[in-house]
Amino acid sequence: MHKRDVIVIGGSAAGIMAATTVKRRHPEKRVTMIRNVSKTPVPCGIPYIYGTLKAVEKNIIPDDKLLAMGIEIIADQVETVQRADKSVHLAQHETLQYDKLILATGSKPLVPPLPGVELDNVFTVAKNPFFLQKIFTALQQARNVVIIGGGFIGAEMAEQIATLQQEMAAETSIALVEMLPTCLMLACEQEFGTEAENELRKLGVAVHTSSQVQQLGDDGQGRVRTVALADGRELPADLVILGIGALPNIELAEQMGLKADVRLGVAVNDQMATADPDIYAAGDCASKASFFRDEPSCIRLASVAATEGMIAASNLYGRGIRRSKGAVGAFATKIGERSIGAAGYTSRAAAAEGLDVVIGEAVAPNRHPGGLPGCIPDTRVKLLFRRDSGVIIGGHVCGGEATADMANVIAVAIQARLTAEDLATMQYATHPLLTASPLSYHIMLAAEFAATQLAD
Amino acid sequence: MHKRDVIVIGGSAAGIMAATTVKRRHPEKRVTMIRNVSKTPVPCGIPYIYGTLKAVEKNIIPDDKLLAMGIEIIADQVETVQRADKSVHLAQHETLQYDKLILATGSKPLVPPLPGVELDNVFTVAKNPFFLQKIFTALQQARNVVIIGGGFIGAEMAEQIATLQQEMAAETSIALVEMLPTCLMLACEQEFGTEAENELRKLGVAVHTSSQVQQLGDDGQGRVRTVALADGRELPADLVILGIGALPNIELAEQMGLKADVRLGVAVNDQMATADPDIYAAGDCASKASFFRDEPSCIRLASVAATEGMIAASNLYGRGIRRSKGAVGAFATKIGERSIGAAGYTSRAAAAEGLDVVIGEAVAPNRHPGGLPGCIPDTRVKLLFRRDSGVIIGGHVCGGEATADMANVIAVAIQARLTAEDLATMQYATHPLLTASPLSYHIMLAAEFAATQLAD
């Protein structure tokens, strides 16, 4: 049998980060990454295939850096893993043996138990170039598109398909159906989700919130024709996209006899280690704790996956153990003209847990003076602090191109457990062409507003 | 005499932040801000008057928020302050009495002892609309402009005047003279300063580094005509701008009998309090400690001033004392197509102090995939960590619009004293249209590269 030091199963965020981390820390190790696709799509880039990039192959993670580091890449299906002799059996390649194994098998789109979900032209968003191309081809024929699910994937797909439709000569329609009262509601403050909806409407998307899909109707030839809502409305639909979440891929782990939960994933500790001392798991397939609470988290994000891949790989060969801090949930998106970022708790989630929070909010132009190019006058930051400790537990941003990095200032503050007082009195870089004025740098000012309330 | 609760002398960053903070925390207090200009220019926006905004009045801090909060604004010259009876004597208004006084008198441009510096058309960059208009008028006539000093103000003025010259029909030239080997060298890594120089050259600026000005020559009629360098070269110059730094305005404090140093400013403790229990000082006029070392700092920045104004004002009426953490130095600028950000130490400053640092550096596109709009493929982050503790002490960014907020992720990390290990394993928000991929988010990756070295 062919022996490898480290075998990584899975080639997306967690897998790539795991493979490169091992190789960087231990260049002498033989590292092999096995993936079930010939090319790996950029996971978060998938919506942009359909409007901006207009080609599946423009949204591929390049292999060149991995190959240059000496990482072997095998595109094949893993059939079984035998832990007894530490072997990986492949569909079309010879069996390999590992010293250490990292499972990074990712997740699969959740398919809701809806009548008609099996009809033709009903698609999930799977991270597979072949499948993504099928959606693209179908979209070019479709006239009435319905997207089910108004989270990040649903909203971004709607925005991009609306862009594509605007360029089509034919009569088209696009609708987004979301169960909750606003889009992006699990990650973002409600008013920020409303901003996203407004942008979608500007692009011609009919946004149906607080709306449940009851069934998909067919055209008599096995193809979707309508989406029926619980309130009796019926939307025309010759193409439906399901974007309602993902479930961990645990089949391989189960076959291997590792503990795994259908919703939470492969059981790992905070070192990303399974019960088998030579097997780790990372990314969407792995169980994760919440950063905030002593309970599991269902947050599945490429950024969490990347961190976990790095942690798992760092722990393979000791020298200082790395531990996952648990999933924080740090997000960013751009819908139309608005960029929205978030980290940690929403007000709604905090209220649901009975947390007493103090909110600081700042609205100011992201330029100073406001007449400078690129100014978004109502750039907004909203921060959530625990009343008992003053520690930041969430933050939300709506603004321009720097939104994601403003969310990252907040994400770092959350992970460093800083207080409103800390953030109010820290110094921040500002510049007329790039940020708010030093008098109204949003994060400082929002923290100061909260600190003033906390001092009362 | 007319009694006020709080009088703030100075109407720029520190003064405004002090006045608004008092009023926010104590709405019942009578707060008066006295300034020696009728309108306050946005200090960092001054260079943009000359190229982008093309009008002094487009770069003014609006008074409306202050007035709406009930802050009284008096535009007048303070002649003397009598601490014995707590009175402020004004040139054209009645004498006022204070309960608490905050000095925010700012700084004045440093005028070097150069022969010829007194000639006509030799300007400093003073924060006074009348004076700034004089420069603008003179620039519209000038053909050969020389800027002395390649720090932020000098580089930004050069960029903006180059823009202005490109729109002028006449034959023009612009040169920048800097003593040190690269522009922006006190704040930025040398290679980042070089990028700024390259941008300036693209705009037609002749950049003379490692060059010392010897004297300014006249045209026989009291007006500048040449700038002579120490190496014998002579640059044509019918307009010269001096941008070589600033000194604290301490005259008033000295007249009041408060301790002050010509270079360091009005002596204050970490609560921004002077020796007089009713008098505080904040901003460019006030002494400051370094965040890093037990020694004074000469960093004068609007962002530091704003923080100090907030701290001084918060401490006037007790309820939890706020302390300044000392100046970190968090900067951002945009020169041509490149935005540059920095926080804390440069490699050069660390070496000068004999600090043993580990450097982590990451270069990656600020989009994923890189084909998305706005991609800067060589967006770069360089982080400096102490080898002994792994704690971050500096960071440098060169990239796009998010540069300042990437510098702020670093600035917060420095002020929270995070380690390479912390920053490598934290989670960050990423998005295809806004940031690097989660596999190569610059700050995470640069920290991981440093952490790998530190683990060796």
Side-chain angles (χ1 to χ4, degrees):
Chain A
M1 277 196 294
H2 298 278
K3 182 74 192 283
R4 299 293 184 274
D5 293 310
V6 179
I7 292 180
V8 178
I9 303 180
S12 194
I16 294 174
M17 192 57 111
T20 54
T21 302
V22 176
K23 207 63 189 165
R24 187 166 53 246
R25 295 191 161 229
H26 309 283
E28 75 288 358
K29 299 289 183 194
R30 294 193 66 187
V31 178
T32 295
M33 191 174 86
I34 304 170
R35 65 189 185 205
N36 60 4
V37 286
S38 60
K39 292 175 178 176
T40 307
V42 178
C44 330
I46 290 171
Y48 304 99
I49 292 171
Y50 301 108
T52 305
L53 297 170
K54 294 209 173 56
V56 172
E57 60 269 25
K58 287 190 180 164
N59 185 56
I60 295 297
I61 303 179
D63 286 334
D64 49 357
K65 277 191 197 159
L66 286 88
L67 297 173
M69 289 177 90
I71 295 165
E72 178 187 32
I73 301 175
I74 296 177
D76 201 349
Q77 198 71 39
V78 174
E79 309 243 282
T80 60
V81 173
Q82 303 300 334
R83 289 161 59 198
D85 66 354
K86 300 172 83 170
S87 61
V88 176
H89 301 265
L90 297 163
Q92 301 176 33
H93 288 75
E94 280 185 281
T95 294
L96 298 177
Q97 222 171 0
Y98 62 84
D99 178 32
K100 303 282 181 187
L101 181 71
I102 298 179
L103 294 175
T105 50
S107 58
K108 58 186 171 223
L110 185 62
V111 180
L114 280 176
V117 83
E118 74 295 341
L119 291 170
D120 281 354
N121 263 22
V122 178
F123 296 100
T124 56
V125 186
K127 297 166 199 159
N128 176 319
F130 173 75
F131 196 82
L132 296 172
Q133 180 61 48
K134 268 180 61 180
I135 298 179
F136 195 32
T137 306
L139 273 171
Q140 281 156 336
Q141 312 298 326
R143 291 298 167 261
N144 304 308
V145 177
V146 174
I147 293 169
I148 299 174
F152 286 103
I153 289 184
E156 292 170 354
M157 287 293 281
E159 190 231 36
Q160 289 289 303
I161 294 170
T163 310
L164 183 71
Q165 284 190 343
Q166 283 178 348
E167 296 164 13
M168 290 165 76
E171 275 290 299
T172 56
S173 77
I174 174 160
L176 179 70
V177 182
E178 166 58 43
M179 233 166 52
L180 295 172
T182 358
C183 285
L184 310 181
M185 199 159 175
L186 294 181
C188 299
E189 285 297 278
Q190 193 155 6
E191 65 270 30
F192 292 45
T194 303
E195 296 226 33
E197 290 172 16
N198 292 341
E199 292 295 321
L200 288 174
R201 289 195 179 97
K202 278 191 224 167
L203 292 165
V205 179
V207 181
H208 304 282
T209 50
S210 303
S211 296
Q212 197 133 14
V213 173
Q214 197 163 48
Q215 62 173 36
L216 310 183
D218 71 14
D219 67 349
Q221 297 176 1
R223 192 171 157 139
V224 70
R225 199 182 60 87
T226 54
V227 171
L229 304 184
D231 62 9
R233 284 178 295 166
E234 198 173 75
L235 308 175
D238 54 2
L239 192 152
V240 170
I241 288 173
L242 301 167
I244 59 164
L247 287 176
N249 282 325
I250 57 168
E251 293 71 16
L252 183 64
E254 286 187 321
Q255 173 269 310
M256 291 162 65
L258 293 172
K259 194 179 155 200
D261 177 275
V262 66
R263 213 171 55 86
L264 302 177
V266 182
V268 290
N269 63 13
D270 63 357
Q271 301 173 32
M272 310 313 298
T274 69
D276 184 319
D278 295 319
I279 303 181
Y280 290 71
D284 280 5
C285 74
S287 71
K288 33 203 114 265
S290 161
F291 173 79
F292 298 101
R293 298 173 300 282
D294 186 21
E295 56 183 60
S297 167
C298 282
I299 290 176
R300 294 202 161 74
L301 276 175
S303 55
V304 177
T307 307
E308 290 180 353
M310 187 195 281
I311 290 170
S314 308
N315 289 337
L316 293 185
Y317 297 101
R319 283 198 316 184
I321 288 301
R322 281 186 155 170
R323 292 177 197 279
S324 164
K325 298 177 179 75
V328 173
F331 308 88
T333 189
K334 186 178 181 200
I335 306 289
E337 298 297 310
R338 300 299 260 179
S339 296
I340 297 170
Y345 276 92
T346 61
S347 312
R348 183 166 166 268
E353 284 182 34
L355 284 175
D356 190 6
V357 300
V358 171
I359 289 176
E361 199 163 358
V363 184
N366 61 344
R367 298 287 184 271
H368 63 287
L372 286 169
C375 183
I376 297 178
D378 57 344
T379 299
R380 179 184 296 262
V381 166
K382 187 170 176 182
L383 303 180
L384 281 67
F385 301 90
R386 288 183 69 114
R387 189 179 295 277
D388 54 4
S389 59
V391 168
I392 185 166
I393 57 168
H396 301 270
V397 186
C398 184
E401 199 172 316
T403 293
D405 286 294
M406 292 170 75
N408 284 332
V409 174
I410 297 167
V412 166
I414 291 172
Q415 289 168 90
R417 300 184 199 278
L418 301 183
T419 63
E421 186 63 23
D422 292 330
L423 288 169
T425 59
M426 279 185 177
Q427 296 151 50
Y428 303 90
T430 57
H431 187 268
L433 298 169
L434 302 172
T435 68
S437 123
L439 296 170
S440 54
Y441 182 70
H442 302 81
I443 293 167
M444 175 193 72
L445 210 52
E448 166 64 358
F449 292 156
T452 307
Q453 295 172 61
L454 286 163
D456 281 344
Chain B
M1 275 196 295
H2 299 276
K3 182 73 193 287
R4 299 291 184 274
D5 293 311
V6 178
I7 292 180
V8 178
I9 302 180
S12 194
I16 294 175
M17 193 56 111
T20 52
T21 302
V22 176
K23 208 61 190 168
R24 186 166 54 243
R25 295 192 160 228
H26 309 283
E28 74 289 358
K29 300 288 184 194
R30 293 195 65 188
V31 178
T32 296
M33 191 175 85
I34 304 169
R35 64 188 186 205
N36 61 3
V37 285
S38 60
K39 291 175 179 177
T40 307
V42 179
C44 330
I46 290 171
Y48 304 98
I49 293 171
Y50 301 110
T52 305
L53 298 170
K54 295 211 172 57
V56 173
E57 61 269 25
K58 287 190 182 164
N59 186 56
I60 296 297
I61 303 179
D63 287 334
D64 49 356
K65 274 191 200 161
L66 287 86
L67 297 173
M69 289 177 89
I71 296 164
E72 178 187 34
I73 302 176
I74 297 177
D76 201 348
Q77 198 71 38
V78 175
E79 308 243 281
T80 61
V81 172
Q82 303 300 334
R83 290 162 56 199
D85 66 353
K86 301 173 81 169
S87 61
V88 176
H89 301 265
L90 296 163
Q92 300 174 34
H93 288 74
E94 281 185 280
T95 295
L96 297 177
Q97 224 170 357
Y98 62 85
D99 177 34
K100 303 285 182 185
L101 182 70
I102 299 178
L103 293 175
T105 51
S107 57
K108 57 186 174 223
L110 185 62
V111 180
L114 280 176
V117 83
E118 73 296 341
L119 291 169
D120 282 354
N121 263 21
V122 178
F123 297 100
T124 56
V125 185
K127 295 166 202 160
N128 176 319
F130 174 75
F131 195 85
L132 296 172
Q133 181 60 50
K134 270 180 61 181
I135 299 179
F136 195 32
T137 307
L139 273 172
Q140 280 155 336
Q141 312 297 326
R143 292 296 169 263
N144 304 307
V145 177
V146 174
I147 293 168
I148 300 175
F152 286 103
I153 289 184
E156 291 171 356
M157 287 293 281
E159 190 232 37
Q160 288 289 302
I161 295 170
T163 309
L164 183 71
Q165 285 189 344
Q166 283 178 345
E167 296 165 14
M168 291 165 75
E171 274 290 299
T172 56
S173 78
I174 175 161
L176 179 71
V177 183
E178 166 60 44
M179 235 165 51
L180 295 172
T182 358
C183 286
L184 310 181
M185 198 157 174
L186 294 180
C188 298
E189 286 297 280
Q190 193 154 6
E191 65 270 28
F192 291 46
T194 303
E195 295 224 36
E197 291 172 13
N198 292 342
E199 292 294 321
L200 289 173
R201 288 194 180 97
K202 278 191 223 168
L203 292 164
V205 180
V207 181
H208 304 282
T209 49
S210 304
S211 295
Q212 195 133 15
V213 174
Q214 196 161 50
Q215 62 172 35
L216 310 183
D218 73 13
D219 66 350
Q221 296 176 1
R223 192 172 157 139
V224 71
R225 199 182 59 85
T226 55
V227 171
L229 304 183
D231 62 9
R233 284 177 297 165
E234 199 173 75
L235 308 174
D238 53 3
L239 192 154
V240 170
I241 287 173
L242 300 167
I244 59 164
L247 287 175
N249 283 325
I250 58 168
E251 293 71 16
L252 184 64
E254 286 186 320
Q255 173 269 310
M256 292 162 64
L258 292 173
K259 192 178 157 200
D261 178 275
V262 68
R263 213 169 55 86
L264 302 177
V266 182
V268 290
N269 63 13
D270 64 357
Q271 301 173 34
M272 309 314 296
T274 68
D276 183 320
D278 296 319
I279 305 181
Y280 289 71
D284 279 6
C285 73
S287 71
K288 36 202 113 267
S290 161
F291 172 80
F292 299 101
R293 301 172 298 282
D294 186 19
E295 58 182 57
S297 167
C298 284
I299 290 176
R300 293 202 162 73
L301 276 176
S303 55
V304 178
T307 307
E308 291 180 352
M310 187 197 280
I311 291 170
S314 308
N315 289 337
L316 293 185
Y317 297 101
R319 285 199 314 184
I321 289 301
R322 282 186 156 171
R323 293 175 195 280
S324 164
K325 298 179 178 76
V328 172
F331 309 87
T333 190
K334 185 179 180 199
I335 306 289
E337 298 297 310
R338 298 300 259 180
S339 296
I340 297 170
Y345 275 91
T346 60
S347 312
R348 184 167 167 266
E353 283 183 35
L355 285 174
D356 190 5
V357 299
V358 171
I359 289 175
E361 200 164 358
V363 184
N366 61 345
R367 297 287 183 274
H368 63 287
L372 286 170
C375 183
I376 298 179
D378 58 344
T379 298
R380 180 183 296 262
V381 166
K382 187 170 174 180
L383 302 179
L384 282 68
F385 300 88
R386 288 184 69 114
R387 190 179 294 277
D388 53 6
S389 59
V391 168
I392 184 166
I393 58 168
H396 301 270
V397 185
C398 186
E401 200 173 315
T403 293
D405 286 294
M406 291 170 76
N408 284 332
V409 175
I410 298 167
V412 166
I414 291 172
Q415 290 169 89
R417 300 185 198 279
L418 301 183
T419 63
E421 186 63 21
D422 292 330
L423 287 169
T425 58
M426 277 184 178
Q427 296 151 49
Y428 303 89
T430 57
H431 188 266
L433 297 168
L434 303 171
T435 68
S437 124
L439 296 170
S440 54
Y441 182 70
H442 302 82
I443 293 168
M444 174 194 73
L445 209 53
E448 165 65 358
F449 291 157
T452 307
Q453 295 172 61
L454 284 162
D456 280 344

